[in-house]
Every structure is written in C-alpha cells, then in structure tokens.
Amino acid sequence: MSPRADATRDRIEAELEAPLRALGLDLEAVELSSAGKRRVLRVAVDQDGGVTHDDLVEAEHRVSEVLDSSDVMGQQPYTLEVTSRGVDRPLTLPRHWRRNHDRLVRVTRTDGSALTGRVAGSDEDPGGAVRLETDGGPVEVPYADVGKALVQVEFNRRNAPDEEDA
C-alpha cells in the first residue's frame, strides 16, 4: 500500500472510531482497495457477544453519514461494505482472545513452533498472556510470543458448558 493510501486509511479509521464506539462497536479493520474505476472500502466491526445483522445495518448507516460529511474519500466513487470481524482474521488484541473464549485456535509462536488448543482464559493487559487447553494439558502463551493466531472452524464442535442443554 502506498504512503498516501496508508494515510487515507488512517484518516478513515480516525473519523470512524468514535461514531462506531458510540454504537457499542469496536472498529477492527479498514481496508481500501481498487476495483476498476471504483474503490472498495471494507469496514470490519465487532463487539462482545458478536454482531447481528441489525448492528451491521446501523453501523453502515453511521459510517455512510460520517463519510458523506467528510472529504476523506475524495471525489472518486467507492463502494462501502460493513462486515463483522469473521473467523479468518488473526487474533491480535486481548479483546479478540476474550471474545473467543472456549474456541479452538491455532497459535504459531514467534519462534516458529505451533500449537492448537482451546482458549481457557486471557489477560486484558496487552503485556499478559492467553491460556490454552491443549491435548498435552494447559499452556500459557505470552501475547508477545504469539506470531499468528487463528480461530479454527469446527463443524462438529463439542458443546460449551453453557450450551449443554441448548
């Protein structure tokens, strides 16, 4: 991405963060790409408990209002997409770990070693760690040692303790 595109993305993030927070949403990602003569602006949001379709519709309206009242997108036409964070995005912040409690994750450490386990707990402090239940027992991984972490999609996921009777 060019320095100009980075600056535009950073400016968009700055414009959107407070209005989305007012809706109870965290701004997770802003991606600006070209699609022919148009640009595509993708805004990913999340919140504790996940986002609903209604949350996304409300967020799209708010984002559209903010962009329409600002010159941040310039005069070139663009398509706006507001989406949830999705399971394919890496876990990079303490809130990502908290929101994925009891989910199966694959962690690649900064030293290149990898492990798969279920998120058993996590610290809110960015200097903290995540605790995983692995087949070999509990493992604590400091956030600083996490190179990449992704939620693993489970088609036959075991029931979480609070889902036993659901």
Side-chain angles (χ1 to χ4, degrees):
M1 191 176 260
S2 72
R4 183 176 176 193
D6 284 342
T8 299
R9 187 195 64 232
D10 292 347
R11 201 167 149 221
I12 293 167
E13 286 178 359
E15 296 270 344
L16 297 179
E17 195 159 348
L20 289 170
R21 189 176 303 115
L23 296 176
L25 299 169
D26 292 314
L27 178 60
E28 292 292 339
V30 172
E31 299 169 359
L32 187 58
S33 60
S34 296
K37 294 181 181 182
R38 297 177 86 66
R39 294 175 295 167
V40 176
L41 175 62
R42 288 183 187 88
V43 177
V45 298
D46 199 9
Q47 68 181 343
D48 287 352
V51 293
T52 65
H53 177 71
D54 290 342
D55 294 328
L56 293 175
V57 169
E58 191 172 358
E60 184 173 4
H61 283 96
R62 183 67 57 94
V63 168
S64 186
E65 288 171 357
V66 169
L67 296 177
D68 288 349
S69 66
S70 164
D71 67 345
V72 69
M73 291 300 292
Q75 298 301 312
Q76 186 179 358
Y78 66 94
T79 300
L80 173 63
E81 296 177 8
V82 177
T83 184
S84 64
R85 189 170 183 284
V87 296
D88 59 334
R89 293 194 184 270
L91 306 177
T92 58
L93 299 171
R95 70 177 181 241
H96 299 158
W97 294 99
R98 180 186 72 239
R99 289 176 179 160
N100 284 286
H101 179 79
D102 200 44
R103 301 284 305 270
L104 191 65
V105 296
R106 178 158 176 82
V107 176
T108 303
R109 295 180 180 158
T110 54
D111 68 4
S113 64
L115 70 145
T116 300
R118 202 164 291 285
V119 179
S122 59
D123 297 328
E124 286 297 319
D125 176 8
V130 60
R131 287 163 296 289
L132 302 174
E133 285 296 329
T134 69
D135 288 341
V139 175
E140 184 167 289
V141 181
Y143 293 138
D145 292 348
V146 175
K148 185 175 184 181
L150 293 171
V151 171
Q152 301 300 290
V153 176
E154 297 178 85
F155 293 105
N156 294 315
R157 181 172 183 240
R158 68 172 174 82
N159 284 341
D162 60 347
E163 297 174 347
E164 291 293 333
D165 298 322

